[in-house]
Amino acid sequence: MVFLNCESSGIVEMITNDRRHRTGQTRLVEKNWFLQQWLDHFDKRQASLVNELGWDKSRANFVYHGKQPYRRDLVNEIAAWLQIEPYELLMDPQEAIAIRYLRAAARSISEGSPLPASTDPAPKSGRTPNARRAKPSVKAA
């Protein structure tokens, strides 16, 4: 009898993935919320989950990287912390802001009042959302 080592050729992985696809199972938790983008919008980091929410580092890491499935209580906790609606965590910040503006504009039109300037939830700090990504310039001595 001859046994073929299928693991090294990836055949077993393809069969396993195909079976999971048919049954609706996935190997990894799919990342389908926009936590990182919202944190970036508010100029917060993964460490903010630890420092401001009191989470331990492993929980913050799992949630931040989408390794833990989100639950209603988790989404509500983070949304309350960021002062946004829970459903907005499930969409890109720019899309959520556009929907906020559209709703505010519709409300203004129906009330006969001027259109709103902006409904963008402003970042908490005075810096722009991507300011932390800028590298400091190195001056020659």
Side-chain angles (χ1 to χ4, degrees):
M1 221 182 209
V2 177
F3 290 98
L4 177 62
N5 183 356
C6 296
E7 289 183 33
S8 63
S9 65
I11 294 173
V12 171
E13 186 66 28
M14 289 183 342
I15 293 169
T16 306
N17 285 340
D18 184 52
R19 186 179 316 121
R20 286 184 182 127
H21 178 70
R22 287 193 315 259
T23 61
Q25 298 173 339
T26 57
R27 184 172 175 191
L28 297 173
V29 176
E30 289 185 29
K31 185 177 171 193
N32 53 2
W33 64 330
F34 291 85
L35 176 62
Q36 290 182 11
Q37 290 85 346
W38 278 106
L39 291 180
D40 188 48
H41 178 79
F42 287 112
D43 195 30
K44 295 188 178 290
R45 298 174 184 84
Q46 181 179 338
S48 302
L49 296 168
V50 174
N51 299 332
E52 297 177 30
L53 289 177
W55 291 2
D56 60 49
K57 289 181 182 181
S58 65
R59 180 180 185 201
N61 184 41
F62 271 72
V63 170
Y64 182 82
H65 291 289
K67 296 176 184 174
Q68 175 182 330
Y70 60 85
R71 298 180 318 270
R72 181 183 305 182
D73 59 338
L74 178 66
V75 170
N76 289 340
E77 180 181 6
I78 294 172
W81 171 58
L82 294 174
Q83 298 178 354
I84 61 175
E85 295 297 324
Y87 66 85
E88 290 178 324
L89 278 171
L90 304 177
M91 60 178 66
D92 186 81
Q94 297 308 314
E95 182 180 354
I97 292 164
I99 291 172
R100 281 182 179 205
Y101 182 79
L102 181 64
R103 286 182 178 161
R107 190 171 29 257
S108 295
I109 291 169
S110 69
E111 295 171 353
S113 59
L115 292 177
S118 174
T119 57
D120 183 2
K124 302 288 186 221
S125 67
R127 299 185 309 171
T128 60
N130 292 321
R132 73 169 190 252
R133 296 185 193 272
K135 294 184 179 181
S137 61
V138 178
K139 295 180 181 178

